[in-house]
Amino acid sequence: LHDVAPGGVMAMVVSHHLMDALDAGSRMKLAEMGNLIGAVRLPSNAFMENARTEVVTDILIFQKHTAAEANLARVAAYLVNQTKTDTG
């Protein structure tokens, strides 16, 4: 999302591990940069015919924050982290 213009839209094809990971760090970074506006989880055999592999794949669609939205996202991330710190 770094190279996308503010308000621009980007689609990502990723392994299911991004959305299923216990560590939310990568998802939090993406949330700081943009809004998730759509997501589709493909079946494990979606690439069987052309890639001969079984893998669970997600298609994620993000819209990059405007400058004002980015500031709000940073404040929200800070508050989430503070809450985690305060509650242990």
Side-chain angles (χ1 to χ4, degrees):
L1 281 172
H2 289 287
D3 294 329
V4 177
V9 176
M10 179 178 114
M12 299 169 57
V13 178
V14 299
S15 160
H16 72 96
H17 296 291
L18 175 65
M19 298 305 284
D20 292 347
L22 294 177
D23 179 5
S26 296
R27 293 188 301 274
M28 293 297 289
K29 276 296 198 192
L30 288 168
E32 288 175 18
M33 291 186 284
N35 293 321
L36 178 66
I37 58 174
V40 176
R41 176 153 289 174
L42 300 177
S44 63
N45 64 353
F47 295 103
M48 182 57 75
E49 187 173 320
N50 60 345
R52 304 281 185 241
T53 187
E54 287 191 25
V55 61
V56 178
T57 305
D58 295 332
I59 299 174
L60 308 176
I61 303 170
F62 288 92
Q63 184 171 28
K64 187 166 183 177
H65 291 309
T66 62
E69 291 169 330
N71 287 334
L72 289 173
R74 279 190 284 279
V75 169
Y78 171 78
L79 293 174
V80 167
N81 287 331
Q82 285 300 111
T83 302
K84 287 180 184 177
T85 303
D86 292 345
T87 60

